[in-house]
Amino acid sequence: DTAVSQTPKYLVTQMGNDKSIKCEQNLGHDTMYWYKQDSKKFLKIMFSYNNKELIINETVPNRFSPKSPDKAHLNLHINSLELGDSAVYFCASSRISRASGRMETQYFGPGTRLLVL
Amino acid sequence: KQEVTQIPAALSVPEGENLVLNCSFTDSAIYNLQWFRQDPGKGLTSLLLIQSSQREQTSGRLNASLDKSSGRSTLYIAASQPGDSATYLCAVISLETSGSRLTFGEGTQLTVNP
């Protein structure tokens, strides 16, 4: 069974459209993340949710809105898509250690390749 | 703000060679450090996780070391194989008052030639 899954795998759309990317994890983790990988392959964190609560919100345009209906899902909605939004978006999950309160190993989804035309 | 740098950006070696990938970070107050592998068009796979209290971790032909005081980590790959060809990413988890954060380096693209 896939541990962290994302849909769709590929997304090609026109500028100005609104689109969503879904992420689900079946690892029982309590924390989920969205990362953006740009054309230079640099990974940058966008958002992090712990137990459905937003804990990390980097400087990301407010056209990007994460939604966590439950601990196993973290969806990413993007409004008014722009050319510069073209990238690979990775979802990840991890557990926060009860002993130390810190993050344990992150597991990543396969990525969603977004192309805005 | 934590910054992670990986050297070299790209590396090409013949099969069978031992090699070292380098990672440096600016803030030594880290919780742990993780090495990932990314294959073209694929997601990330965690290779090794080193806690801040540890000096090294080993898994098969891979050995990762951590020197927190100097802000450095190395990933040693023994007897490299063509299947090792991938991009290797180093990431550090930093301690912040707001929680934990994973910061990635830009990666080293490794090619092992048969």
Side-chain angles (χ1 to χ4, degrees):
Chain A
D1 282 343
T2 304
V4 182
S5 59
Q6 295 179 227
T7 53
K9 207 168 180 179
Y10 299 95
L11 184 55
V12 181
T13 188
Q14 300 284 337
M15 240 174 32
N17 284 349
D18 302 338
K19 291 293 178 185
S20 291
I21 308 172
K22 295 186 177 181
C23 178
E24 177 181 0
Q25 55 93 6
N26 62 6
L27 297 167
H29 288 166
D30 54 10
T31 307
M32 296 184 72
Y33 313 82
W34 276 108
Y35 289 87
K36 179 180 180 180
Q37 187 175 42
D38 60 24
S39 56
K40 294 182 181 177
K41 307 296 185 187
F42 190 55
L43 266 166
K44 193 169 181 184
I45 193 166
M46 299 173 68
F47 302 103
S48 175
Y49 269 74
N50 175 255
N51 287 316
K52 302 193 325 177
E53 184 181 337
L54 182 66
I55 57 172
I56 293 176
N57 184 358
E58 288 293 295
T59 308
V60 175
N62 55 18
R63 298 181 294 104
F64 290 79
S65 53
K67 285 185 173 53
S68 182
D70 55 58
K71 285 198 304 185
H73 295 84
L74 180 62
N75 303 323
L76 183 64
H77 189 75
I78 315 171
N79 289 328
S80 303
L81 278 156
E82 300 178 357
L83 295 177
D85 297 333
S86 297
V88 182
Y89 293 84
F90 286 99
C91 175
S93 74
S94 72
R95 182 170 31 221
I96 300 293
S97 165
R98 287 185 182 177
S100 64
R102 302 303 177 184
M103 191 200 309
E104 298 181 348
T105 300
Q106 288 198 2
Y107 292 83
F108 282 75
T112 295
R113 283 140 192 86
L114 171 65
L115 178 61
V116 182
L117 303 173
Chain B
K1 185 183 174 184
Q2 179 74 268
E3 291 183 5
V4 181
T5 305
Q6 289 186 246
I7 295 173
L11 183 62
S12 182
V13 300
E15 183 177 1
E17 198 160 294
N18 301 325
L19 57 100
V20 175
L21 307 181
N22 297 292
C23 172
S24 62
F25 46 95
T26 54
D27 185 349
S28 62
I30 66 169
Y31 172 56
N32 61 37
L33 183 144
Q34 204 165 338
W35 282 94
F36 291 88
R37 168 188 173 137
Q38 185 176 27
D39 292 281
K42 300 282 179 67
L44 279 75
T45 303
S46 179
L47 298 173
L48 289 163
L49 175 72
I50 312 177
Q51 303 289 349
S52 62
S53 57
Q54 296 175 320
R55 298 282 295 182
E56 65 177 346
Q57 279 286 327
T58 298
S59 175
R61 295 181 294 108
L62 304 179
N63 176 278
S65 68
L66 174 64
D67 184 345
K68 257 184 58 175
S69 58
S70 66
R72 291 180 184 176
S73 175
T74 60
L75 179 67
Y76 175 80
I77 303 178
S80 58
Q81 303 170 357
D84 294 332
S85 298
T87 296
Y88 290 80
L89 293 158
C90 165
V92 298
I93 296 179
S94 305
L95 308 178
E96 297 178 4
T97 53
S98 58
S100 304
R101 183 166 304 191
L102 194 71
T103 306
F104 283 87
E106 296 191 10
T108 294
Q109 188 172 351
L110 173 65
T111 303
V112 181
N113 302 302

